[in-house]
Amino acid sequence: MDPTQDQGVETARSATAKDRGDLRDERRRLIREAVISHGYVRAADLVAEHAVSLMTIHRDLDHLQSQGWLRKTRGGATGMSSTHFHGTVAERGNAMAQTKQQLARAAARLLAPGQTVLLDDSTTCARMTRHLCEFNPLTVITNSLPVLQLLSKEQGIQLISLGGTYFPAYEAYMGLQTADNVERFRADVLFMSTTAVTKGRLYHTSPETVQVKRAMMAAAGRRVLVCDHTKFRRDGLYALAPLTDFDLLVVDDGLPPEEIRAIRGRGTDVLVVPRTA
């Protein structure tokens, strides 16, 4: 065969592969949007809508679940919260929004100029960014893309991105590489939130999240957990750490006084933030 014909065949194959990849990516985007819009989709309906095999749809759902966009169920997928999936970043950010803002403000006031600060990818800690400039200069280390974007133009803040594998559903870098990168640093203080606190232990919905947050805890001189009282009424799938591993809990006054006394009794200080403040 003429060499030019060989090149033509290879070019055609490459173009075909690219087209298939583009179609797959567009199909997955549409599936993701359907789950977010409707809360639940049936695999059989997706097969009919996209004219692909059931096996292909299962691969799509597996991929989207691995990125945190949805949770596979028998016969379909859901975006509704559960121990496996607690909603998109936008949904989590809108939940208890005013309370989270008050908690973030109170947490930021714990800072002192010159400190090195670790911030996790939680929507609560992202709200701290609007208060950090009051304590310049600061060094901020984070795996959160929103935090990086919000602080990228602020004067007096040295910003360090942890990098790693990007998870769009969390708007954050997660996994082994990110956890390894954390080990290169030592921070004065860590501010972290959590999916759930059950029987004195923190839980999250993905092992990648746990991996990174454990590394952050090991890299910080002081650990501060910032979460609203509803986290004490939820469940998670993957255990992170006992609450006693934190020096301070910043929580709103929706947490019953007897629970606050019990937490203090086990050795973790508690800063109670009034929701009406």
Side-chain angles (χ1 to χ4, degrees), residues 14-146:
S14 298
T16 300
K18 181 179 183 301
D19 290 343
R20 286 198 299 266
D22 290 344
L23 289 172
R24 178 201 62 206
D25 293 345
E26 175 63 10
R27 183 178 64 250
R28 289 176 177 176
R29 183 187 68 80
L30 292 172
I31 292 171
R32 186 180 73 215
E33 291 181 355
V35 172
I36 292 171
S37 298
H38 304 299
Y40 177 79
V41 292
R42 293 178 65 248
D45 293 339
L46 295 175
V47 168
E49 180 179 352
H50 297 285
V52 293
S53 68
L54 182 59
M55 185 178 295
T56 295
I57 291 299
H58 279 299
R59 282 197 296 265
D60 290 340
L61 296 179
D62 285 337
H63 174 80
L64 293 171
Q65 178 173 258
S66 72
Q67 292 195 323
W69 287 112
L70 51 79
R71 178 173 61 92
K72 282 186 72 177
T73 61
R74 185 177 179 84
T78 180
M80 298 176 183
S81 63
S82 70
T83 56
H84 298 265
F85 178 75
H86 277 175
T88 64
V89 172
E91 290 167 342
R92 288 186 282 116
N94 289 332
M96 301 290 291
Q98 183 176 353
T99 298
K100 287 179 179 179
Q101 183 53 49
Q102 291 165 344
L103 292 172
R105 185 185 301 114
R109 289 173 180 165
L110 300 170
L111 288 167
Q115 286 187 314
T116 297
V117 184
L118 264 169
L119 288 182
D120 76 352
D121 59 294
S122 65
T123 58
T124 302
C125 289
R127 284 177 162 80
M128 290 179 63
T129 56
R130 66 187 68 181
H131 306 290
L132 296 187
C133 292
E134 301 171 27
F135 306 95
N136 287 348
L138 290 173
T139 298
V140 177
I141 307 169
T142 186
N143 64 324
S144 165
L145 182 59

Side-chain angles (χ1 to χ4, degrees), residues 13 22 27 37 42 52 67 84 106 109 117 124 132 150 154 162 167 170 177 183-184 202 207 212 217 235 243 252:
R13 287 175 178 168
D22 290 344
R27 183 178 64 250
S37 298
R42 293 178 65 248
V52 293
Q67 292 195 323
H84 298 265
R109 289 173 180 165
V117 184
T124 302
L132 296 187
L150 289 165
E154 296 295 341
L162 288 170
F167 283 64
Y170 300 111
Q177 184 180 348
E183 294 177 3
R184 302 178 185 180
L202 280 64
V212 172
M217 292 175 67
D235 288 318
L243 184 53
D252 62 273

Side-chain angles (χ1 to χ4, degrees), residues 129 140 142-153 159-163 173:
T129 56
V140 177
T142 186
N143 64 324
S144 165
L145 182 59
V147 169
L148 292 168
Q149 292 171 329
L150 289 165
L151 294 179
S152 62
K153 296 181 181 179
L159 194 56
I160 299 175
S161 170
L162 288 170
Y173 299 93

